[in-house]
Structures are given as C-alpha cells and as structure tokens.
Amino acid sequence: WCRLTLEDHLEKREIPVFARDYEQITRAGKRDEREPPKIHQTYLFQATIGPSFRMEASLTIRDFIPIEEVPEQLAKRVTFVLESEKATPDQFESLRNLLTRFPGQTPVTVQLRLPDDTRATIALPDTLFVRPSKEFIQTAEAFAGNKNLFFKFDADGFANKRT
C-alpha cells in the first residue's frame, strides 16, 4: 500500500494505491523493481490525447506501507459479521477471549446477520478494542472466516473489505 500525490497544471490529488496498482504505476515510471520504493520519489508522465492536447503530470509517493501492515497502522475499526442463527453464548465468549489476546486502540463491532439479510450492529466496549496485527488477523479469520472480517480505514476514503 502507498499513498500517492498526483499533480498536473490544474490540481493536486492524494490517491491510495494498493499492491496491483502500485506495481503497474512503478512499471510505467520505470522504477527498478530490485530497489525498495523511495518515499517522495516522483515519476513524470506525459500523455497525448488527440492531435492537439498534451498533458503532463507528476506522481509522488508520499507513504509506503507493506500491505500486511496496513490494518495495524491504518484501521479505524474492525467488524466481525456473525450469523444470528449460529450466534451462541459460547461463540460470544470465544470472541471475547480472542479480542482480549490482542489489546489495542482499534474499536470492534459485531454485526449479526439476521434471517432477512439485515444486520444488527453491536459496538463493543473499549476494554475489547484490539491491535489488528498480522497474528490478530490470522486468528480472527480462523474464528469468523475471511469473508466475515472487515476493516474500516481513515476518512481519506479507505473503506475496504479485506480480500
């Protein structure tokens, strides 16, 4: 994951870029793939559109975070989705035990998927906030399944499901 700044003669934009996109951009910018990315490295692009319109833009890497570290560094909330019909006191106790093994600052919510496919959301107390480390994610996915574990990221528009 990295955050890029795209700037042309009209405006400047911050853009989040994930692994596949980043690989394509660095190839376009002809970065040597054997070198680690450089923060504030700038790539210059030129495009010709039609016979008379030419555009130039620069792309600057502002932040670079290995993809496996993104949840721990940027997640603002962790959400577990559980089937209400299968939710038992034992399952909630297991979830509490899992969360207490990874104490941290990230809030946790539980969404119960109801039979009519709506969801009821339960915000957990701050005593169950977590640190979404790689080990936490592996443990949480083993508990809930990777299709039932979601992360909300900061207000810059990073609201993505873990894939």
Side-chain angles (χ1 to χ4, degrees), residues 99-128:
L99 299 174
T100 57
R101 288 179 45 207
F102 301 94
Q105 301 295 315
T106 305
V108 178
T109 58
V110 174
Q111 290 186 349
L112 293 176
R113 187 178 294 127
L114 303 173
D116 64 356
D117 209 30
T118 59
R119 295 183 185 186
T121 302
I122 303 166
L124 300 183
D126 59 2
T127 57
L128 296 177

Side-chain angles (χ1 to χ4, degrees), residues 45-140:
F45 295 88
Q46 296 179 349
T48 302
I49 303 170
S52 62
F53 183 76
R54 183 177 171 166
M55 182 180 98
E56 293 185 5
S58 65
L59 191 62
T60 303
I61 299 173
R62 196 180 96 197
D63 297 321
F64 177 80
I65 302 171
I67 193 76
E68 64 274 3
E69 296 175 18
V70 169
E72 187 168 357
Q73 293 189 31
L74 299 177
K76 299 297 181 190
R77 180 178 322 283
V78 176
T79 300
F80 289 85
V81 178
L82 305 176
E83 300 295 329
S84 65
E85 297 160 340
K86 298 176 185 175
T88 64
D90 287 343
Q91 187 180 33
F92 280 102
E93 183 66 23
S94 294
L95 178 59
R96 186 187 68 76
N97 291 336
L98 183 156
L99 299 174
T100 57
R101 288 179 45 207
F102 301 94
Q105 301 295 315
T106 305
V108 178
T109 58
V110 174
Q111 290 186 349
L112 293 176
R113 187 178 294 127
L114 303 173
D116 64 356
D117 209 30
T118 59
R119 295 183 185 186
T121 302
I122 303 166
L124 300 183
D126 59 2
T127 57
L128 296 177
F129 285 9
V130 296
R131 182 177 56 84
S133 64
K134 186 176 179 180
E135 183 183 359
F136 166 79
I137 293 168
Q138 290 170 343
T139 305

